[in-house]
Amino acid sequence: TVVSEALINAYAKCGNIELCEKVFHEERVSGDKISISLFSAMLAGYAQSQNSGRSIWLFQQILHEGMRPDKYATSSVLSVVDVEELGKQIHSFAVKTGLSCDVSVASSISTVYSKCGSLDEAFQLFEGAVERDVVFWTSMIAGFADHGQPEKAFELVRKMQFEGLNPDVFTLSALLTACSVCKSLRKGKEIHGFALHFAMEGQNLVGSSLVNMYSKCGDTVSSFRVFNRMPEKDHFSWSSLISGLAQNGYCEEALMQFHEMLKDGLKIDSFVVSSLLGVLSSLTYVELGKQFHAQTIKTGLEFDLTVGSSLVTMYSKCGNIEDSRKVFDLLCATDVVSWTAIIAGYAHNGQGLEALQMFEQMLEKDIEPDAVTFVGVLTACSHNGLTEAAYGYLDSMEKDYSIKPGIPHYACMVDVLGRSGRLEEAVKFIDAMPLKPDALVWGTLLGACRLYENVELGKLVANKVLELAPSDSGAYVSLSNMSAKIGNWGDVTMIRNLMNDF
């Protein structure tokens, strides 16, 4: 049994789960009584291979055979549980058997709650634990970081150090995720300094997390520098670099690095493809987009919801709404992101009625819209002059879906009124806004003033824009063009002189 256990552990570390099962099966048919440690080794093998189904099945088999799972079996099965109800059942079992007092089991239970978004339960368990090791602290820090609460993650690591425990590579990775969430380059650099001091930068997990942090914080130079120093580049580091370049506007460099990644023999994933499709959307490179589409078909990523939604957006932004709709119709499943993508696609291509029809279909399928969906809906109303319908959708946001309208929604509404020539009503609407109007809102009205050659109102609105955004050259240009149209060349000269002075 000891030899079999060692073999299962060795095969599991090599990722060969078939050989693990073969050794385990031979022990079962041998007629000898199997120890709980052998069950635990096999369960750990399933957990390491992320086979949640077989892990849970084997845990149940242990119970059915009248054996009591030990802390290793319990921790292993918890590591692959991502359903809160099942986590609660195993938690109850651990409390009854006394296993919940073990630090590894308590940490694993807390992690399940964190993964499921129940941070209060996770933290309550963490606070009440008799013993807390680095793994337990890191689990809780990661929970806060992954769920958009970076300040709590930073506070926790300070308490951890106060108790005499030093962060390990996993802790640093979680903290760098927290820095990415709050876009804190300063804190990220402090953690980088800590990693250098304790010779952790060379660790693949820390290096990849640093690349991701610098990319998310917009420091692509540092991201490249860390990436180039990494002894081994894994999938996460490549993905972080490429998506960071893409999202920070370095489109050509992102595409070059993508080709380098392929040369390295690494497979593309949905994260990289979605980022690059976003680049191609902004550049309207539809032919290159089609090549990426073909690549997703070859790799099977076309069925990934994130990639599918990105393809819908890419085709629509390139003006090819027909192919956008074809991709949408081929999606095996749809969510609010994919529906929003097709609604926005129709809206931005001037097919507002089709956009609103898609919105109604979305509601019929019981998919609840979010704030971004309503931007697409209001844009559709704007492009079709549906003023009263736009008012109705704006009211519906908070009334029916508890979504508070933001600046983008109010700007869309001003655009609806402006395109319809209802400029005075638009001014009253802005004055009655519950939020302070920004340059986007006033700039939208300025565009309508230019369209309808309302110079007097245009001057007032332009001043509002320039108060909020003095460097907005568009306001100067709009005002200059309106003055030129009515032959007021004195104002044109004065405005251009102001631009030159600026």
Side-chain angles (χ1 to χ4, degrees):
T1 302
V2 175
V3 174
S4 298
E5 191 180 324
L7 282 170
I8 289 172
N9 287 330
Y11 289 139
K13 285 179 182 176
C14 297
N16 195 328
I17 201 68
E18 290 80 12
L19 286 177
C20 292
E21 290 178 322
K22 186 177 180 183
V23 173
F24 184 72
H25 180 70
E26 286 173 354
E27 279 290 332
R28 295 208 76 176
V29 298
S30 68
D32 296 333
K33 186 179 179 182
I34 299 179
S35 66
I36 186 62
S37 59
L38 191 69
F39 270 104
S40 296
M42 188 65 240
L43 209 159
Y46 282 135
Q48 285 173 39
S49 65
Q50 293 300 302
N51 192 330
S52 58
R54 296 295 288 175
S55 299
I56 294 164
W57 170 80
L58 190 56
F59 188 80
Q60 290 171 330
Q61 286 296 113
I62 296 171
L63 295 171
H64 288 159
E65 294 190 18
M67 302 177 75
R68 177 177 160 175
D70 60 10
K71 63 181 181 180
Y72 303 108
T74 308
S75 297
S76 293
V77 75
L78 283 165
S79 70
V80 292
V81 170
D82 56 6
V83 178
E84 188 172 352
E85 191 54 42
L86 180 57
K88 284 181 177 178
Q89 290 175 19
I90 299 174
H91 185 185
S92 297
F93 166 80
V95 170
K96 286 178 184 176
T97 56
L99 285 171
S100 60
C101 295
D102 179 81
V103 65
S104 63
V105 174
S107 175
S108 299
I109 296 168
S110 177
T111 301
V112 171
Y113 286 127
S114 292
K115 280 195 291 188
C116 297
S118 298
L119 290 180
D120 289 341
E121 285 84 346
F123 191 62
Q124 187 179 356
L125 188 62
F126 174 81
E127 287 279 83
V130 177
E131 183 186 354
R132 293 179 294 200
D133 59 7
V134 173
V135 175
F136 204 167
W137 281 94
T138 299
S139 168
M140 198 64 247
I141 290 166
F144 284 130
D146 292 338
H147 288 87
Q149 298 186 39
E151 291 306 322
K152 288 186 177 180
F154 297 135
E155 182 186 342
L156 215 53
V157 79
R158 286 191 289 269
K159 288 182 179 178
M160 172 184 168
Q161 289 176 300
F162 183 76
E163 292 196 9
L165 294 170
N166 286 321
D168 61 9
V169 292
F170 299 101
T171 317
L172 292 192
S173 177
L175 289 171
L176 288 166
T177 298
C179 294
S180 302
V181 170
C182 64
K183 302 287 190 294
S184 178
L185 187 58
R186 182 182 62 80
K187 279 191 172 74
K189 285 183 175 181
E190 288 175 4
I191 296 164
H192 190 179
F194 182 93
L196 287 168
H197 182 75
F198 289 96
M200 292 185 190
E201 190 198 42
Q203 297 281 340
N204 223 41
L205 179 62
V206 175
S208 297
S209 299
L210 282 166
V211 171
N212 183 56
M213 181 276 295
Y214 280 123
S215 294
K216 292 275 176 67
C217 292
D219 188 349
T220 52
V221 174
S222 296
S223 179
F224 247 123
R225 192 177 293 133
V226 173
F227 180 80
N228 288 330
R229 282 203 301 262
M230 288 179 67
E232 289 182 25
K233 283 117 177 136
D234 63 7
H235 205 272
F236 178 54
S237 57
W238 275 107
S239 298
S240 298
L241 180 71
I242 293 168
S243 61
L245 288 168
Q247 288 159 14
N248 285 292
Y250 297 97
C251 306
E252 300 295 336
E253 290 86 345
L255 292 169
M256 284 171 58
Q257 291 303 317
F258 175 72
H259 289 298
E260 290 297 319
M261 176 183 170
L262 292 180
K263 279 184 193 175
D264 253 23
L266 290 169
K267 290 182 179 180
I268 60 174
D269 65 0
S270 59
F271 186 53
V272 171
V273 172
S274 298
S275 296
L276 288 171
L277 285 170
V279 171
L280 300 176
S281 299
S282 60
L283 296 175
T284 62
Y285 283 176
V286 68
E287 290 307 316
L288 195 52
K290 286 181 177 178
Q291 291 177 32
F292 270 95
H293 190 177
Q295 189 83 358
T296 65
I297 293 171
K298 285 180 185 175
T299 55
L301 283 173
E302 62 171 329
F303 299 113
D304 182 274
L305 199 48
T306 307
V307 173
S309 300
S310 298
L311 283 166
V312 170
T313 299
M314 185 274 295
Y315 279 120
S316 66
K317 283 193 174 180
C318 292
N320 193 338
I321 194 65
E322 292 79 14
D323 281 346
S324 181
R325 179 60 187 268
K326 284 177 186 175
V327 172
F328 178 82
D329 288 340
L330 288 171
L331 290 174
C332 297
T334 53
D335 62 0
V336 65
V337 177
S338 52
W339 278 98
T340 298
I342 192 66
I343 289 166
Y346 275 123
H348 289 296
N349 280 277
Q351 298 185 36
L353 293 177
E354 288 82 354
L356 296 179
Q357 285 172 7
M358 294 303 290
F359 179 67
E360 294 304 323
Q361 286 182 38
M362 173 185 171
L363 298 181
E364 286 171 10
K365 292 187 178 291
D366 292 325
I367 295 175
E368 197 162 294
D370 61 12
V372 183
T373 312
F374 276 104
V375 172
V377 169
L378 291 169
T379 302
C381 293
S382 175
H383 286 208
N384 281 265
L386 302 171
T387 309
E388 300 312 316
Y391 272 123
Y393 287 122
L394 190 69
D395 290 340
S396 173
M397 286 179 66
E398 195 156 9
K399 182 182 173 184
D400 298 327
Y401 303 102
S402 301
I403 301 171
K404 286 192 174 183
I407 289 294
H409 305 103
Y410 289 116
C412 284
M413 197 64 223
V414 171
D415 191 48
V416 173
L417 294 168
R419 284 173 184 256
S420 302
R422 295 157 70 165
L423 304 185
E424 296 299 330
E425 187 177 341
V427 173
K428 289 177 182 175
F429 178 83
I430 293 172
D431 288 338
M433 278 174 54
L435 301 176
K436 185 180 179 182
D438 65 359
L440 173 64
V441 173
W442 287 113
T444 303
L445 181 55
L446 182 59
C449 291
R450 180 183 170 186
L451 179 66
Y452 286 96
E453 299 178 16
N454 191 327
V455 180
E456 291 308 311
L457 181 58
K459 285 180 180 179
L460 295 171
V461 174
N463 286 331
K464 291 282 188 183
V465 175
L466 295 172
E467 279 175 23
L468 294 163
S471 60
D472 190 340
S473 59
Y476 288 107
V477 172
S478 294
L479 199 52
S480 175
N481 289 342
M482 281 190 286
S483 298
K485 272 208 167 187
I486 62 170
N488 193 341
W489 300 107
D491 278 3
V492 171
T493 304
M494 181 186 72
I495 293 163
R496 288 182 179 173
N497 287 336
L498 283 171
M499 286 182 70
N500 291 332
D501 290 343
F502 178 78

